[in-house]
Amino acid sequence: MNQVMRQLRRAIRDNKKDFVAILVLFLIGMVSLGVILSNQRLALPGWVPVVGSNRFELKADLSTAQSLTPGQGQSVEIAGVRVGEISDVQLQDGHAVVTMNVEDTYTQLIHPDASILVRPKTGLNDMVLEVDPGTASGAIAKGATIPLASTQPNVNPDEILATLDGDTRGFLNLLLADGAKGLGGHGLQLSATLRRLEPTSRDLARIGGALAVRRENIASSIHNFRLLAEELGSNDQTLGDFIDSSNGVLSSFARQESSIRGALKELPATLSATHGALTGTAQLASQARPALHKLLPGARALAPTLKQTQPFFTQTTAPIRDQIRPFTRQVRTPVTHLREAAQALGGSIPPLDSALSSLNTGLNALAYNPPGQGEGFLFYLPWLNHDTNSQWLTQDAHGPLRRGIVTLSCSTARIAESVTAIRPFLMTALQLTRVPTVAQVC
C-alpha cells in the first residue's frame, strides 16, 4: 500500500501540470452541473447539500387538467409565491387527480379547507395552481386530497361560446355586426360610458345587499306572526271578553235611530249608483267567465273548509243584521264624501304603480333567481370578472392587463383610416383603442 502511494505521489509530481488541469476541469464541470440542475428546476431531496429540500405530497381532484403537464416545471403558488410544483396527473373515476410536491416549510400555511384555482401564467396557457390556504384551524395532512368541490379549472372564452346553440351564436354575430354599425363614430362616447360602469356596479351590489336584508326581514316577520297567532290561540278567554266589549259598542251605534233615518234618505241615490256599478259588473262577469271556469277546481277544494265555517256564520248572522247593518247605513253619507276624495287620489295611483312595476321587473332581471330557472345577471358578473382576470393575468408588477408599445407611422395611419372607412366595426375598434389619427401622426 505504501509503495502504491509513493508511486502515485511520484506520478503526480512528474505530471503536476496535467494533474492541476484535470482538477480544474473537474471543478468547472461540477459548477456547470449545479447551474444546469438549478435552471432545470430539479427537485432534489433534503439530504443533498445546498440545493436539496424536503417536500410532502398533496393531491387535488379537478374536473379537467387541460394544459397541466408534469415535468415541465409548472408551479404551485400561494399569493404569487412558488411553494412547489406539479409532479403527476392521472385520470380516476372520470376526473383528473393532480399530484403536487410542496416544500415542508409551507406545511403550516395550508389548512384543511384549502381550495385550488387553475390559472394561466402566460398567453400560451402555461398553467399554475393558485392555492387559497383557507381559514380552518390546523394544517392539512400530508398526502391529503383536496376535493372536487374546492377546485376550479381554467375557463376559456371558447368554452362559454360553445354552450350556445347554433341559432344563438348566429344571433350573437348579427348583434355584434349591427352593434358595430350602430356605434360607428361613437367610440369615444362608448369608452366614456364603459368607464362609468364601475360606480353602477357598485350601486347594484348595494341594492343586492339591501334585497338580501329585506328577505331576512320578511322571514323574521313571518316567524313573529306565527308567534302572535300562537299567543292569541292560548288566550281565547281574553278574545271572548273583547268580543263582548265590541257587542256593547255596536249596541250604542244601534241606538242612533235618527242618524239611521238620515242615512236611509240617501238610499235612492245610492241605489242609482249601485245600478251603474252592477251594469259594469255584468260586463266584467262576461269577460271573467273563462277565468272563473279555471277557478272551479279550487272552489271545489274549498267546499270542506266552507262547511267547517258554516256554524260561525250562523252565529254571526244576528249581530250583522241587527247591529252592523244599521251602523253601515248611518255612515253612508261620510263614505260618499270619502269616495269623491278617493277618486282624485286614484288618478295618481296608476302611474306610480306602473313605475314601481317597471322598477321591480328590472331588479328581478338583475338579481332574482327563481327556483329551477336561470340565474340573474348579477350571478354572472363575478364570473365575467374572473374570466377577464384569468385571460389577461401576467403576474408582473404592472398589473393584470398586458402592456406593449405600438409604433404607428404616417403611411400606416393613412392605410388604417382608409380601411376603417369601409368597415364600420373596425372604425369602432379604432376609436375605442384611441389610436392617433392621421392629423396627429403626420
Side-chain angles (χ1 to χ4, degrees):
M1 183 66 181
N2 294 332
Q3 185 178 0
V4 173
M5 294 299 295
R6 285 195 297 271
Q7 290 177 356
L8 181 59
R9 284 194 293 270
R10 186 182 304 111
I12 292 175
R13 187 172 56 254
D14 295 340
N15 302 278
K16 186 175 182 179
K17 295 181 178 179
D18 296 335
F19 178 75
V20 173
I22 293 174
L23 183 60
V24 172
L25 290 175
F26 177 76
L27 294 175
I28 294 174
M30 293 301 295
V31 172
S32 300
L33 178 61
V35 173
I36 292 173
L37 292 179
S38 63
N39 290 330
Q40 289 297 322
R41 300 174 181 174
L42 184 62
L44 297 177
W47 54 264
V48 177
V50 182
V51 295
S53 61
N54 292 323
R55 302 192 175 197
F56 71 94
E57 189 177 87
L58 184 64
K59 295 183 179 181
D61 293 336
L62 292 171
S63 59
T64 175
Q66 180 183 7
S67 301
L68 294 178
T69 306
Q72 299 295 323
Q74 292 180 334
S75 61
V76 180
E77 298 180 356
I78 297 178
V81 178
R82 180 187 178 92
V83 298
E85 64 181 20
I86 299 174
S87 61
D88 188 23
V89 177
Q90 294 182 357
L91 179 65
Q92 293 183 6
D93 298 330
H95 63 271
V97 178
V98 179
T99 304
M100 300 164 283
N101 287 331
V102 182
E103 298 181 11
D104 278 349
T105 55
Y106 302 103
T107 303
Q108 299 300 324
L109 295 179
I110 304 178
H111 302 287
D113 61 340
S115 59
I116 289 181
L117 176 63
V118 181
R119 305 181 68 178
K121 188 175 182 181
T122 65
L124 299 177
N125 269 4
D126 182 15
M127 297 295 182
V128 298
L129 294 182
E130 186 70 29
V131 179
D132 183 355
T135 57
S137 60
I140 194 170
K142 296 182 179 180
T145 300
I146 298 177
L148 192 63
S150 299
T151 61
Q152 288 290 343
N154 183 44
V155 179
N156 298 317
D158 58 342
E159 296 179 10
I160 299 176
L161 297 177
T163 59
L164 305 177
D165 55 23
D167 294 338
T168 304
R169 287 195 295 269
F171 292 145
L172 181 60
N173 291 333
L174 293 175
L175 176 63
L176 293 177
D178 295 339
K181 294 179 181 179
L183 295 175
H186 300 283
L188 296 178
Q189 293 85 340
L190 178 60
S191 178
T193 302
L194 293 177
R195 284 194 295 271
R196 299 189 185 100
L197 184 60
E198 181 180 0
T200 303
S201 302
R202 183 172 59 250
D203 294 339
L204 290 177
R206 294 176 180 175
I207 294 174
L211 290 175
V213 173
R214 177 173 175 262
R215 179 180 298 177
E216 296 178 356
N217 293 336
I218 291 175
S220 177
S221 300
I222 294 174
H223 174 71
N224 295 334
F225 182 76
R226 181 181 66 84
L227 296 177
L228 177 62
E230 293 176 353
E231 187 66 22
L232 291 176
S234 61
N235 293 275
D236 52 350
Q237 182 62 38
T238 305
L239 289 177
D241 296 340
F242 172 75
I243 293 175
D244 292 338
S245 300
S246 300
N247 185 29
V249 174
L250 294 177
S251 298
S252 300
F253 283 118
R255 288 192 291 269
Q256 303 295 326
E257 182 179 359
S258 60
S259 299
I260 294 175
R261 291 182 180 275
L264 291 175
K265 293 179 180 180
E266 301 292 336
L267 184 60
T270 304
L271 293 177
S272 177
T274 304
H275 181 268
L278 291 176
T279 303
T281 303
Q283 298 176 357
L284 176 63
S286 63
Q287 297 178 1
R289 182 178 180 181
L292 294 176
H293 279 292
K294 294 181 180 179
L295 292 175
L296 287 176
R300 294 190 183 98
L302 189 61
T305 303
L306 296 178
K307 291 179 180 179
Q308 296 293 330
T309 57
Q310 186 174 1
F312 169 75
F313 290 119
T314 302
Q315 296 174 4
T316 57
T317 300
I320 293 175
R321 182 184 62 246
D322 302 332
Q323 300 173 10
I324 297 178
R325 182 188 296 174
F327 168 73
T328 304
R329 293 171 179 172
Q330 181 179 356
V331 299
R332 177 71 66 181
T333 301
V335 169
T336 302
H337 297 299
L338 181 62
R339 177 174 175 271
E340 297 175 356
Q343 289 178 348
L345 179 61
S348 61
I349 294 300
L352 179 60
D353 180 69
S354 176
L356 293 177
S357 299
S358 301
L359 178 60
N360 186 50
T361 302
L363 294 177
N364 285 344
L366 286 174
Y368 179 58
N369 301 324
Q373 301 184 19
E375 303 290 348
F377 288 102
L378 291 181
F379 175 82
Y380 296 98
L381 189 59
W383 283 101
L384 177 61
N385 182 40
H386 163 69
D387 294 341
T388 303
N389 285 337
S390 298
Q391 181 67 23
W392 296 103
L393 188 62
T394 56
Q395 291 289 346
D396 60 2
H398 297 293
L401 296 181
R402 300 182 183 277
R403 297 177 179 270
I405 298 176
V406 178
T407 304
L408 186 66
S409 63
C410 182
S411 59
T412 306
R414 288 195 176 95
I415 294 174
E417 289 197 359
S418 63
V419 172
T420 56
I422 61 175
R423 297 183 181 274
F425 64 92
L426 291 180
M427 173 64 74
T428 302
L430 186 67
Q431 293 177 346
L432 284 174
T433 54
R434 304 181 70 89
V435 173
T437 63
V438 174
Q440 294 173 332
V441 175
C442 301

